[in-house]
Structure formats: structure tokens, C-alpha cells
Amino acid sequence: MLRPRVRSRLTSRRLLIAGSVLLAFGLLAAAAGTVALFLRRPGPDGLARRETNTPVLSADVEPGGPLQVSEVLLDPGDEQRFTLALTITPPPGATAMQLSLDPQFRNIAWQPVVEQSLLSVRHAGYQMVYLRFRDAADVVSTPVVAGAMVDPTEAAATSSAAGRHQPAWVRPLSRTELVVRVEAGRIRLGSVEPYDLENPPDGDRLSWGLLGPRMIHRDGSPYGFPVSERTDVIRRFDELDGRPLDASAAVAGQWTVTLDGGPARTVPVRVVSRPAGSGVDGNRDPISAVVHDFVLTLPEDLVDGVQYDITPPEDLVAPIGLTFDQTRTLSPAVRVNQVGHGVDDPKLAYLAGWFDGMGETVATSADRFQVLDEDGATVYEGPVVARPVGRDLGERDLTGTPVAELEFSAVTEPGGYRVCVIGVGCSYEVTITDNPWTELAVAAARSTFHQRSGVALGPPHTSFTRPRPYHPDDGLDVLATDYSLLQANAEPEIRFDAIVGSATEVVVDEAWGGHFDAGDWDRRIHHLWYARNAAQLVAAFPREFADDLHIPESGDAVPDLLDEALWSLDFYRRLQLPDGAIRGGVEASEHPPANSTSWLDDLAVYAFAPDPWSSFLYAGVAAEVADALRPYDPARADDYVASAVAAYDWAAGQPVTETQRPVVDGQRNVAAAGLLLATGDPRWHQAFVETADYLTVGFGDDAMLCHAHTRCDGGWLYLQADESATDPAIRQVLRDRFIASAQASLALAENTAYRWTTEDGNVPLVWGLGPGGAPHTSGLLRAYLLSGDERFRAAAVASAGYSLGANPFNQVLITGFGKEQARHPVIVDVQHGGIPVWPGTPVYGHHQLNAIGNDQWAVEFVLGPAGAEPAPDQVPFLWQWYDVPTIAFFNEFTVHQSHAEALFSFGVLAATG
């Protein structure tokens, strides 16, 4: 067996394996990727100001560049509105400029050139701003981009007023309950950096162990920086900005409520504590920020206009007050899509309490709701309608509390609104625009751009810099292994040993490019499903997806969605052998070490051996992309078709075991359909029919299984082929079955309390198969495109609404969107490399703990010690999501499961809005 050779870069699979406590703690280490922002008193313009460090980000556009974010402003009269203060350095000759949060500058007017400007922001999280200029000859410059973090509750989370925690807010949960939220700290992430152990800087002291240095102490500090197993990289430890809160002591103490200055009354209190962010300190001990929601039960209903002053235990939490206004006060019980609604979209909000008796009567506490415009005028009033509970996906209770639905589809005028339940309070802002879905589709594509391997990231295309990782010109050698991805998929528990044990000394040239998977740096051919979805959008809606995404290829003849798809497809084409065989991607010798970034790691990297499954998968996607590419670059399209045919022919001649045959034949069928689409050749029609067993055998209402990317993709590609090359009877069968499959998803949505759905109600709700940042709506939307049945599109909109905030947490499960969102996706370069969490990453979302395997390590070693309350494995499924980057099954993602599905769902909704 060959020993793995240490190389200058690393690629790898997942950050964590369920049950691997070592990895769980080792990867708690994280890195500062955003600017620190601090609240200030209102300025002369009435806006409370937050100042950034200088520069805004150490990795932002360089100081003195054309665009800087100097401050983030918070409107003291409206906690939902933010403003970015911008400093602009226009180039000579500029006569006009555009500022936008949208890289496509849709509906953005040109304005006179100024050096200072304010830009309104609807979302919290890390935001990117785009700027371009125009001169007197109407020549438009290349855009530049800057970024800053919008964090409206940071000041409260990190404050320590007289030794007490400052609440972030107090809001009503029901007619008789108030919630006091205390966010205990923010994690300030360290980052890895090169370090020369033989020539340490002055002031550094090294602690030595049996195998060499293990800690580096600076400036006499008793705390040390852990030294990586690799002696040229160290790790700066993380810090908790703010302090932990003893929630048990706070609940045990006395909480009083005073009404309009009357006598103080003691009230009972319960708490829900949820970790939100994690790291490791200088002693390698885990640290966590935790969000605590203290629920206070009042002796009578809330009264409109009354001031409620709350005094928590004096030594733990500072007092806070609320003047209740049932038409303005925000309530976490009113849950809405925080990103936006199209004019003609169905519009749904939900009213619900929490689990374990907290707010069980919320959903039945009112029978009417109102929709108010920005001026406070009532534009709609409707009934509060109970949703089914306990019937989720086959008579299960995944929700845990009664839920009511508030439908306001009749409101169609563009603008900002709030949904208010009398006696309870109001939702976050609800916006209606011509098309909110385009914003999400663009964000999904831009997020995929940020996952590129083999190229540096930086200005002018993004607001931070990341060195080039995994490129042969930087010293990376990728060795061939005789172990295939087809084998690795079947036996993941031994893949690392098998990859290394089957390694050769053959260097695979040009094994660079593609998109990093999940939080680490392997590239597997599954990622081509993103290219497939991009090609489908461009082919079906060429006008809607002709705009630029502000990527390096912007301005060429090819739509940017296809350019991003080709970045991945070209990687696998470079891996194609002369006989047509396709390698399934690249993998490292092990999981990434704790202290690593994509540009610093040095594990050995291997290219999988070719296999028929990977080759068929490539052939189908290459043919489909060629068909979408043909109107823009016919010569390049012909090259891809030839490459696809060669891959198919090689794969068709390979021996396959009986165990492998169903898997291989599934992709063979898709490849035949793709080649039929691209060429119209009768050969491929015959090949499709021979492998399409789902046309006649074992079909059920849910059998298209779009999440599996076999019959759903093959049948769909067949239907997109020229009718003259296909059989009308087969087309009808496929059409009927897509519609039957969508009807099954529709029925699932009818019985979930928040109208989310999935492609198959029988799959375990784990690792991204449950509701998360990417809606499971491909089957619904394909049926809609075939039939025009608005029920299917409406169900997809409602299911997407769950991803966008209409859920028990009021949290958008996509980074950079909404007032509350996922903030800690599993991106190792963020946790360790000082890179901000860019917008548009959809996280896996809910994961049913202990449904398969043993996930108890996450409860016992991460969530439990961090202070999660109640126990995470004891709460209903729809509460089993925690914003912690060390737990991959909640906050990881993949290019094919997450970005690809989000792009298709939001893209079709955008094109059909």
C-alpha cells in the first residue's frame, strides 16, 4: 500500500461524523469574518449610528477604493429598518451612479454622483452593496462591491450593564404571555495563520510536548494558541463577547411586572434556551452564545396602551419595558415570510405558540386578524383558521402545538405591511413586490460562485478576499486512486482507508476547479445537478435569466447562470480520460484537521477512479448543458455533446454488479434522455425506453422522487426533447405521472401545520431531507410547468414560505435574508479563515435527532453543555434545528442538495411570477 504523500492543499468531505466527539469539539474553532458594529446614540439625522472598525473588513475592498461602508444606522423608531452609510470615491469623468443591493441593478435609477450616500437595507446579516458609474458617453463601469454586517441585537448581546445582561427585546406571545429575549454574547472567531516555529516573533513563548510544540503564548498571556498538527499553521482562539447567563438561576429568581406604574406583581416564568454560534477558547474548551427566551405568564389579558415594566432578578438581567400596541408591537407568535411576496402569490401567515404548553392557547386566542399598511391603515381583515396538527406526513405530530393560518392573498398592492392579531401583536414586515423570487435565485447563484475552487475570490466581484485554493500552479499534486466514487457511495464508512489504500503514483493533471462541497473542499460529481438546474432555467426562460450576476465571466455571450454551471462541468471534463471515462471527483485522505482553511491545508488529495455511474451522470448533464448553451456558443455545445457521447459509450461497456445495476441504470436512463434532448438521434430514444422501467413497473403517486435525481430527471428531459423525436404515448404517461407525483406532495402540504412539503413523505427527515433553506418543490414546479395548474405553484410558494421565516422560529433558513436568519452555516473558511458569511447559503434545516444512527453526541457533548433547554431530543421535530456550526446535520449544505434545489425552486417562481 502506498503511503499518502503530503501535499500543499487539502480537499475533504464532511466536517463531522455523527458520534465523532473529537471532530465535534475540534471543529468548534472558528474565525472572525465580519466587522464589529457598535450602537451609538442617535445622530443629528435621528438615526442611531453604528460605527465599523477601520477598514470595514480587513478583507473588504481596499481602503481608499471607490466604495466603503462607513456605518450601519438603526432607525430608533423602527427596529425593522436599517441604513448603510456609504463613502464613495467616484472616478474622473463619472456623471451618474447606481447603488444597489442587487448585482443586476434591476429597477435602480441612475442618480447624480455623490461622495456620501445612505442606502436602506431590509435584511439583517452580512449584506453586499454594489456600485457602478456612467460617464458622459454612457459608458458604464464594471461594478464594485462592499460589505458589512447588520446585527440589530448585537449591542444588547454583548453589553453588561452593571453586571447584568441587557435584554434584546420584550414582545407578547399571546394575550397573557410576554417573552423577554436575552442573547448571551456573540462569538468572536479567531482564524488560522501561517507561523514559523523556528523563528517565532519576539514575545512569543512555546509550550512543548512529547511530540513538539503544542501551545504558543503571546505577551505573557496564560492563554495559548493551539498549534496545528501541521507545524506551519497555528490557530488563534475564539472569544465570547459578552457573558454566559445562568438561565436556571434566572428562572428560579423573582420576576415582577408593573402595569402603568402600579404595584409590582410576581409572575411565573419558563425559559427556552437555544445555542446560537460556537467556538473554542484558548484552553480548547467549547464556548457558545445562547439565546434565552423567558416566557412570563400574566394574570390577565394584555391591555392596549398600557405600559408593562418587567423587573427580572436584579443581579442577572436588566429591567425592560413595553407599551403594548396591538397594531404595532411585534409578536413572535405571528410568523411570516420575511423575504417577500409576489403580487399574485398566495400570502399566508401563521399564529402559534411554542411546545410544552407554552402558548398552547395562542392559535385559538383570536378569531380575526388585520393587515395594516405602512401608515397604519387597515387594508384587509380575515378569519383566523385552525390548521391540522398531528397529521404531518402520515398522521404524525411534528409540530407540537396548535397552529392557525392567516391568509391575505387578496392584498396585492406593492408595499410594506404588517399582519396583526388583535390582543396579541404583529408580524415582522411583510413586503409585496412585482417579483421577490428573483432576489433569492440570484443570491443562490452568487452563493454558489463563492463556493468556487481553484480561483481566488475578491474585488471587484465580492467584498472580501480569499486566496486561490487547490490549484496545481500552487504546488498541488492530485494522485489517481483505483477506488471509485461508485464504491465510496456504497461504503462511506471505509472510504478514506480505501482511497489511500488504492492510491497510485499517477498525478492527475488539471484536477482543479468545480465547487467546494458543504463546509469543506471535496468535489463530487453530484454537484453537476446544480449545472442541470441552471441549464433548465436558461433553456426554459432565456429572457428572465439573461442578466449578469457580477462574476468574472459577466459580459460574455453566455448567461451567467450557465457560466457558473460550466465552472463545475469543465472540472469534470478535465478529469475525462481519452477513452471517454469520467472520474467522479476528488477526495482527501481524511476529514479536514481542526485548524484548516482551503488555501492552507496540506493533506494528500486523490482523484477517484472512473466508474460507469459517474460517467453516465456526466453524460446526461453535459448533453443538457450543451442544449442550453447552443444558442450562445454552438461550437462549444458540439464539444460537450461529443464528450457526453464518449462518456456514455465508455460507461455502457463496463461490467456492473447486480447490486450496482439499479443505481447505474438510473443515471444511464437520464443520460439517454439528455442526449436525446441535445441531438434528437433515435439511438437515444431507444436507449431511454430500454432503461425507463418506471414507465410500467412499480409506479405509485410519489414515484417520480425528484430528490433522487433519476426517473424525475430522465422523464423531465424526455419531455423537453423535440416532440418529433419522442413518442406521444410516452409523453402522456410521463406528464400524468409528474402530475400524480405533485398531487401527492400537495396532499402532504395540506396536512402539515405550516404547509411545508417534501418529495416523498416516507423518507427520514434528516440531513436536508426535511424542511430547510432549500424548499423541496422541484416536483411541484415541474408539474406546474407541464399543466399550468396554479395549485402546484401555490403549494411551492407556501412551502418556500416556511424556508423564509414562516416557521416556529421566525428564522429564515438562508444566510443574509430576513430579520432573523441562519447565521452559522458550516463553512470552514468562515469558521477558520476570517471570511464573512456571504448571503444566499441555504442550510439543511431540521434534522430528526436519532431517527437513523446515533446523533446523541450532539445533545450530550455540544447542545447540552451549551445550555439548550428543553433537551433537544425531547422537543417536537419542527424545533430540532440549532444554529450551531459544529453540528453538520443542522447547518451544513451541499451544492447539489441545497444550492441546486434553491436555485431551481426560486428560479421557476421568479420566471413564472
Side-chain angles (χ1 to χ4, degrees), residues 499-522:
I499 288 169
V500 175
S502 302
T504 74
E505 291 288 342
V506 176
V507 176
V508 179
D509 295 326
E510 299 298 308
W512 63 273
H515 295 100
F516 287 143
D517 191 26
D520 44 33
W521 312 298
D522 73 319

Side-chain angles (χ1 to χ4, degrees), residues 28-374:
L28 279 161
T34 56
V35 57
L37 301 171
F38 304 95
L39 282 173
R40 292 178 60 196
R41 291 187 296 274
D45 52 9
L47 294 172
R49 296 182 175 270
R50 293 163 168 252
E51 290 186 347
T52 66
N53 294 338
T54 305
V56 175
L57 278 174
S58 60
D60 261 356
V61 290
E62 61 276 8
L67 179 64
Q68 298 287 317
V69 181
S70 55
E71 293 179 302
V72 178
L73 313 177
L74 176 65
D75 186 340
D78 187 346
E79 59 189 294
Q80 299 190 58
R81 299 296 176 94
F82 320 105
T83 302
L84 302 182
L86 306 171
T87 300
I88 299 163
T89 305
T95 60
M97 69 180 196
Q98 285 177 309
L99 272 172
S100 177
L101 296 165
D102 172 14
Q104 297 181 346
F105 296 92
R106 293 182 304 271
N107 303 316
I108 301 298
W110 289 94
Q111 66 183 70
V113 174
V114 297
E115 295 184 357
Q116 303 288 330
S117 185
L118 298 177
L119 184 65
S120 178
V121 178
R122 292 175 46 232
H123 304 301
Y126 188 80
Q127 302 298 316
M128 292 188 182
V129 185
Y130 303 87
L131 167 69
R132 65 183 181 184
F133 299 96
R134 186 176 68 189
D135 65 13
D138 287 336
V139 175
V140 178
S141 70
T142 299
V144 295
V145 58
M149 184 66 169
V150 177
D151 187 351
T153 58
E154 180 185 43
T158 58
S159 68
S160 181
R164 297 174 296 181
H165 287 269
Q166 179 65 46
W169 45 255
V170 55
R171 294 172 183 170
L173 177 65
S174 71
R175 288 179 178 272
T176 58
E177 290 169 308
L178 293 174
V179 180
V180 177
R181 171 161 292 182
V182 178
E183 299 188 18
R186 288 285 188 273
I187 298 294
R188 304 301 181 202
L189 302 174
S191 64
V192 296
E193 59 182 20
Y195 190 89
D196 185 352
L197 289 172
E198 295 182 358
N199 299 287
D202 293 341
D204 281 13
R205 176 174 56 84
L206 274 59
S207 299
W208 293 83
L210 293 176
L211 300 178
R214 285 293 173 266
M215 303 289 286
I216 297 172
H217 303 264
R218 289 188 173 169
D219 300 324
S221 170
Y223 297 102
F225 300 95
V227 178
S228 167
E229 296 300 321
R230 299 170 314 287
T231 57
D232 61 342
V233 175
I234 66 165
R235 170 66 190 279
R236 296 201 301 269
F237 58 80
D238 309 321
E239 296 179 302
L240 179 68
D241 188 355
R243 296 177 296 108
L245 171 64
D246 187 341
S248 298
V251 169
Q254 186 180 66
W255 293 69
T256 63
V257 177
T258 299
L259 281 64
D260 276 343
R265 290 182 286 183
T266 300
V267 294
V269 61
R270 290 173 287 181
V271 66
V272 175
S273 300
R274 301 182 59 80
S278 60
V280 290
D281 64 15
N283 296 318
R284 285 187 175 269
D285 292 328
I287 53 176
S288 297
V290 182
V291 175
H292 304 280
D293 287 329
F294 295 95
V295 181
L296 284 62
T297 302
L298 305 178
E300 65 273 316
D301 287 357
L302 292 164
V303 179
D304 204 40
V306 168
Q307 170 73 19
Y308 292 82
D309 291 312
I310 299 169
T311 303
E314 292 186 1
D315 58 338
L316 294 173
V317 180
I320 190 171
L322 166 72
T323 300
F324 179 58
D325 181 343
Q326 59 192 357
T327 64
R328 295 200 66 86
T329 302
L330 293 177
S331 169
V334 187
R335 295 151 186 178
V336 296
N337 172 342
Q338 297 172 32
V339 178
H341 302 73
V343 169
D344 295 322
D345 285 345
K347 304 171 185 72
L348 303 170
Y350 301 92
L351 178 67
W354 289 340
F355 52 84
D356 193 27
M358 292 187 182
E360 278 195 355
T361 61
V362 173
T364 58
S365 63
D367 57 8
R368 307 290 291 177
F369 74 95
Q370 296 176 328
V371 179
L372 284 67
D373 65 15
E374 291 177 309

Side-chain angles (χ1 to χ4, degrees), residues 40 42 168 187 412 427 489 505 590 660 713 878 890:
R40 292 178 60 196
I187 298 294
T412 59
S427 68
N489 288 341
E505 291 288 342
E590 59 184 85
Q660 294 171 338
D713 287 352
L878 290 189
F890 291 137

Side-chain angles (χ1 to χ4, degrees), residues 310-617:
I310 299 169
T311 303
E314 292 186 1
D315 58 338
L316 294 173
V317 180
I320 190 171
L322 166 72
T323 300
F324 179 58
D325 181 343
Q326 59 192 357
T327 64
R328 295 200 66 86
T329 302
L330 293 177
S331 169
V334 187
R335 295 151 186 178
V336 296
N337 172 342
Q338 297 172 32
V339 178
H341 302 73
V343 169
D344 295 322
D345 285 345
K347 304 171 185 72
L348 303 170
Y350 301 92
L351 178 67
W354 289 340
F355 52 84
D356 193 27
M358 292 187 182
E360 278 195 355
T361 61
V362 173
T364 58
S365 63
D367 57 8
R368 307 290 291 177
F369 74 95
Q370 296 176 328
V371 179
L372 284 67
D373 65 15
E374 291 177 309
D375 296 325
T378 300
V379 299
Y380 181 79
E381 185 173 332
V384 174
V385 179
R387 289 290 299 155
V389 174
R391 294 166 53 188
D392 308 283
L393 308 189
E395 304 303 321
R396 289 181 277 171
D397 184 4
L398 303 177
T399 306
T401 190
V403 178
E405 184 175 87
L406 322 172
E407 182 180 1
F408 55 104
S409 301
V411 182
T412 59
E413 185 69 23
Y417 301 89
R418 56 187 180 272
V419 178
C420 300
V421 177
I422 302 304
V424 176
C426 303
S427 68
Y428 280 125
E429 182 183 34
V430 170
T431 60
I432 298 176
T433 64
D434 287 338
N435 196 334
W437 305 106
T438 300
E439 177 184 17
L440 288 157
V442 168
R446 288 272 301 166
S447 180
T448 308
F449 160 71
H450 286 98
Q451 292 291 126
R452 282 191 183 189
S453 174
V455 66
L457 299 178
H461 301 106
T462 191
S463 57
F464 59 86
T465 59
R466 185 207 67 187
R468 180 172 66 179
Y470 286 87
H471 197 282
D473 290 351
D474 302 324
L476 172 67
D477 284 345
V478 177
L479 299 182
T481 177
D482 291 331
Y483 191 69
S484 73
L485 182 58
L486 179 61
Q487 294 171 288
N489 288 341
E491 45 193 23
E493 68 281 356
I494 68 167
R495 69 178 183 273
F496 290 127
D497 289 342
I499 288 169
V500 175
S502 302
T504 74
E505 291 288 342
V506 176
V507 176
V508 179
D509 295 326
E510 299 298 308
W512 63 273
H515 295 100
F516 287 143
D517 191 26
D520 44 33
W521 312 298
D522 73 319
R523 281 142 292 157
R524 295 189 171 199
I525 206 161
H526 309 69
H527 299 179
L528 289 185
W529 289 325
Y530 177 89
R532 164 161 291 150
N533 286 352
Q536 289 180 10
L537 291 174
V538 171
F541 310 106
R543 184 165 62 180
E544 286 81 356
F545 294 103
D547 289 330
D548 287 334
L549 297 173
H550 191 41
I551 60 177
E553 295 82 5
S554 295
D556 65 9
V558 178
D560 279 0
L561 274 188
L562 272 185
D563 281 321
E564 200 60 57
L566 291 169
W567 184 265
S568 187
L569 188 62
D570 283 343
F571 166 63
Y572 294 97
R573 188 177 178 191
R574 285 193 292 271
L575 294 179
Q576 188 170 30
L577 275 64
D579 59 2
I582 297 291
R583 299 182 185 275
V586 298
E587 181 66 273
S589 58
E590 59 184 85
H591 288 290
N595 302 334
S596 58
T597 66
S598 62
W599 60 91
L600 291 176
D601 273 315
D602 55 8
L603 290 180
V605 182
Y606 304 95
F608 285 111
D611 69 78
W613 181 82
S614 298
S615 299
F616 281 134
L617 195 159

Side-chain angles (χ1 to χ4, degrees), residues 755-822:
R755 291 191 181 272
W756 58 274
T757 191
T758 183
E759 302 284 2
D760 180 4
N762 297 314
V763 300
L765 301 174
V766 296
W767 286 99
L769 295 175
H776 298 293
T777 55
S778 293
L780 282 168
L781 291 170
R782 285 176 171 176
Y784 168 69
L785 293 174
L786 290 172
S787 67
D789 190 333
E790 290 292 340
R791 294 178 306 151
F792 298 142
R793 187 181 187 278
V797 169
S799 192
Y802 187 99
S803 302
L804 303 177
N807 57 52
F809 304 110
N810 290 299
Q811 283 191 285
V812 180
L813 296 171
I814 303 172
T815 59
F817 280 90
K819 304 304 187 292
E820 300 182 47
Q821 73 283 123

